[in-house]
């Protein structure tokens, strides 16, 4: 064996030892940093989960208090989901990770083999905790989304109650008018001049109005305005009820004012609401506009035959509206918009991802599956 071959054999172990030492130091440095960061990261993650859960519960308690004042129900709650159990499972995972981490000691005497063994035991779990903390950064957005969704659901329920109350007010009015007309006596000369025909057409007119009112459903909206609901009530009172509220309308009106009017008094003042009513009337746009035979028309068409023709024209319009309403309902059923992702479901989904990552990193849930809104 010549000198060159001997030097090559001696050089190889030296280079390998140098490489292994560099790997050992890098591994110890990286793992030590993760171990040092884990207590704070773990604490941040646990705190974020508990705070978020409590915020969801607080949002729901506030919603139920508002719902009670408004005479509606709000029963949805995060307590009926797996969220709390997932939080507790993650807490157990964090405790186990901390226990493993505290049992590991790394120093200059730690061999490469021992460092690799320590890494295999705890590194994946430490990475899972860090990944969970990253996911938790989106929790405040979920709390805000939950608050907005709850507010939207409450207002939607209030809108439904308002429309129900207005519907009942109209039906009661039409039923009373129909009963009065049915009790009218038409004599011989009245029948001769067509008053019996007019009477039947007026009864049919009120029957069509009641059917149209009963079939009309509260329209789905992107947003619900409580001020617009108050305008709806004024419009119904002005066009259908002689400018007066029924007791049920007054009760709903007061509930809305006491719940929302105290926050922005200038927007809920009688003067401001009346301005909105005037604008709506000027545009001729009521939320549930139903044709009526006004007193002015009756004065113009004094002859019984002319009045009967006028009522029949109105009845034809009502029949067309009923036909359109049936067609519109079918279209709405087929073309319903997809619902927005629920904040509670998103929170639960993220917790599931964190639970998996803090338990077994090799079954990691993809980041986009647990973070996307």
């Amino acid at each position: 064996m010549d000198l060159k071959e001997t030097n090559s054999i001696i050089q190889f172990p030296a280079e390998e030892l140098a490489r292994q030492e560099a790997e050992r130091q890098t591994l110890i440095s990286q793992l030590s940093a993760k171990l040092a960061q884990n207590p704070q990261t773990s604490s941040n993650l646990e705190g974020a989960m508990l705070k978020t859960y409590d915020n969801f519960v607080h949002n729901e308690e506030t919603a139920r208090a508002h719902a009670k004042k408004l005479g509606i129900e709000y029963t949805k709650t995060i307590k009926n989901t797996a969220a709390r159990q997932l939080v507790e499972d993650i807490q157990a995972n964090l405790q186990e990770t901390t226990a493993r981490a505290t049992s590991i000691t790394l120093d200059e005497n730690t061999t490469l083999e021992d460092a690799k063994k320590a890494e295999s035991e705890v590194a994946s779990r430490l990475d899972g905790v860090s990944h969970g903390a990253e996911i938790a950064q989106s929790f405040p957005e979920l709390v805000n989304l939950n608050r907005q969704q709850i507010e939207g659901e409450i207002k939607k329920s209030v809108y439904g109650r308002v429309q129900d109350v207005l519907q009942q007010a109209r039906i009661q009015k039409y039923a009373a008018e129909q009963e009065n007309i049915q009790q009218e006596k038409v004599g011989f000369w009245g029948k001769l001049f067509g008053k019996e025909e007019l009477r039947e057409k007026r009864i049919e007119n009120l029957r069509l109005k009641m059917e149209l009112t009963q079939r009309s459903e509260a329209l789905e909206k992107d947003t619900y305005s409580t001020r617009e609901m108050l305008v709806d009530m004024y419009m119904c009172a002005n066009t259908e009820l002689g400018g007066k509220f029924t007791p049920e309308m007054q009760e709903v009106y007061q509930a809305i004012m006491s719940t929302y009017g105290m926050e922005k008094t200038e927007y809920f003042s009688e003067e401001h609401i009346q301005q909105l009513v005037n604008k709506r009337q000027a545009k001729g746009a009521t939320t549930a506009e139903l044709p009526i035979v006004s007193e002015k028309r009756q004065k113009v068409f004094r002859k019984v035959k002319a009045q009967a023709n006028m009522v029949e024209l109105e009845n034809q319009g009502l029949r067309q509206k009923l036909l359109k309403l049936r067609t519109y309902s079918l279209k709405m059923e087929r073309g319903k918009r997809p619902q927005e992702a629920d904040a509670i479901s998103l929170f639960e989904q993220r917790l599931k991802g964190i639970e998996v990552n803090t338990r077994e990193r090799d079954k990691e849930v993809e980041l986009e599956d647990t973070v996307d809104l």
Side-chain angles (χ1 to χ4, degrees):
M1 181 180 297
D2 59 24
L3 181 61
K4 184 176 181 181
E5 291 177 341
T6 304
N7 290 337
S8 176
I9 294 173
I10 296 174
Q11 186 177 7
F12 178 77
E15 290 177 351
E16 177 63 17
L17 289 173
R19 186 193 65 77
Q20 291 181 359
E21 177 60 20
E23 181 182 0
R24 185 187 74 86
Q25 291 183 7
T26 300
L27 186 57
I28 290 174
S29 175
Q30 292 176 346
L31 189 54
S32 296
K34 290 180 180 181
L35 291 169
Q37 293 170 359
N38 181 67
Q40 186 61 55
T41 305
S42 181
S43 176
N44 291 344
L45 174 55
E46 183 177 16
M49 292 189 303
L50 293 172
K51 181 178 180 181
T52 302
Y53 185 88
D54 289 344
N55 284 338
F56 272 99
V57 172
H58 174 72
N59 288 347
E60 292 166 359
E61 290 174 348
T62 302
R64 279 189 284 275
H66 283 170
K68 185 177 180 180
K69 289 175 63 177
L70 293 163
I72 59 175
E73 289 188 355
Y74 185 83
T75 58
K76 188 175 182 179
T77 175
I78 193 172
K79 295 179 180 179
N80 291 337
T81 70
R84 185 67 196 187
Q85 184 59 54
L86 285 167
V87 169
E88 293 176 359
D89 291 344
I90 293 168
Q91 286 178 304
N93 292 346
L94 295 178
Q95 292 173 2
E96 184 177 347
T97 300
T98 299
R100 289 192 188 187
T102 54
S103 67
I104 293 175
T105 302
L106 298 174
D107 53 34
E108 284 301 317
N109 296 322
T110 302
T111 64
L112 177 60
E113 183 180 356
D114 289 340
K116 286 182 176 181
K117 181 181 178 182
E119 182 189 38
S120 67
E121 291 175 350
V122 77
S124 63
R125 299 182 71 96
L126 294 175
D127 289 341
V129 174
S130 296
H131 183 52
E134 291 177 8
I135 295 174
Q137 292 178 7
S138 68
F139 287 174
E141 298 173 13
L142 294 184
V143 173
N144 291 333
L145 178 62
N146 175 249
R147 189 180 299 112
Q148 293 168 9
Q149 289 177 337
I150 287 177
E151 182 179 355
E153 290 174 18
I154 291 290
K155 288 184 177 180
K156 181 178 180 180
S157 296
V158 175
Y159 175 75
R161 187 186 177 202
V162 168
Q163 297 308 312
D164 286 344
V165 168
L166 298 185
Q167 183 185 66
Q168 289 304 312
R170 291 187 177 101
I171 290 174
Q172 289 171 8
K173 179 213 173 189
Y174 299 147
E177 289 181 354
Q178 189 178 57
E179 184 178 357
N180 290 336
I181 294 173
Q182 288 172 338
Q183 292 176 354
E184 291 178 358
K185 302 296 182 181
V186 180
F188 171 79
W189 292 107
K191 292 180 180 179
L192 186 64
F193 285 103
K195 286 189 176 181
E196 180 65 24
E197 180 186 2
L198 174 60
R199 176 175 172 272
E200 293 301 322
K201 290 185 182 297
R202 290 170 64 196
I203 291 174
E204 174 68 4
N205 180 268
L206 291 166
R207 186 194 68 76
L208 289 170
K209 287 179 179 179
M210 281 193 283
E211 183 180 355
L212 183 61
T213 301
Q214 290 168 340
R215 287 181 175 272
S216 298
E217 297 180 359
L219 298 177
E220 289 282 344
K221 298 184 178 184
D222 293 328
T223 58
Y224 294 87
S225 166
T226 49
R227 285 187 300 164
E228 288 299 316
M229 297 176 204
L230 300 180
V231 174
D232 288 348
M233 285 191 276
Y234 272 109
M235 291 297 296
C236 177
N238 292 345
T239 60
E240 304 281 354
L241 307 174
K244 296 181 180 179
F245 279 12
T246 64
E248 293 78 11
M249 290 168 63
Q250 188 65 38
E251 180 182 349
V252 176
Y253 181 88
Q254 292 297 336
I256 293 175
M257 290 295 290
S258 64
T259 304
Y260 297 101
M262 303 302 291
E263 299 173 0
K264 297 180 179 179
T265 53
E266 68 276 14
Y267 291 106
F268 286 87
S269 66
E270 292 286 345
E271 181 181 359
H272 185 72
I273 298 298
Q274 194 58 52
Q275 288 176 355
L276 296 177
V277 172
N278 294 338
K279 288 181 181 179
R280 176 92 66 87
Q281 287 178 330
K283 292 179 180 179
T286 64
T287 54
E289 188 175 359
L290 297 175
I292 60 171
V293 179
S294 67
E295 292 296 324
K296 290 183 179 179
R297 284 179 176 175
Q298 291 185 23
K299 290 179 181 178
V300 174
F301 299 98
R302 292 182 181 278
K303 293 183 179 180
V304 174
K305 186 63 177 176
Q307 292 182 32
N309 289 339
M310 188 64 199
V311 175
E312 178 55 32
L313 285 174
E314 185 177 350
N315 289 348
Q316 291 176 10
L318 288 168
R319 293 187 191 101
Q320 290 176 358
K321 283 194 172 187
L322 280 168
L323 181 60
K324 289 180 179 179
L325 185 62
R326 296 187 190 104
T327 305
Y328 178 77
S329 298
L330 287 174
K331 288 182 178 179
M332 285 295 292
E333 187 67 28
R334 293 169 184 165
K336 285 185 177 180
R337 295 187 300 271
Q339 291 186 342
E340 181 184 27
D342 179 69
I344 293 177
S345 298
L346 290 172
F347 181 51
E348 190 174 5
Q349 179 187 1
R350 284 161 173 71
L351 290 176
K352 288 178 180 178
I354 293 172
E355 198 282 325
V356 170
N357 277 279
T358 54
R359 172 166 44 87
E360 283 186 281
R361 187 61 173 175
D362 58 344
K363 294 183 180 179
E364 176 183 348
V365 175
E366 292 296 329
L367 185 62
E368 59 267 22
D369 293 336
T370 57
V371 175
D372 283 350
L373 281 171

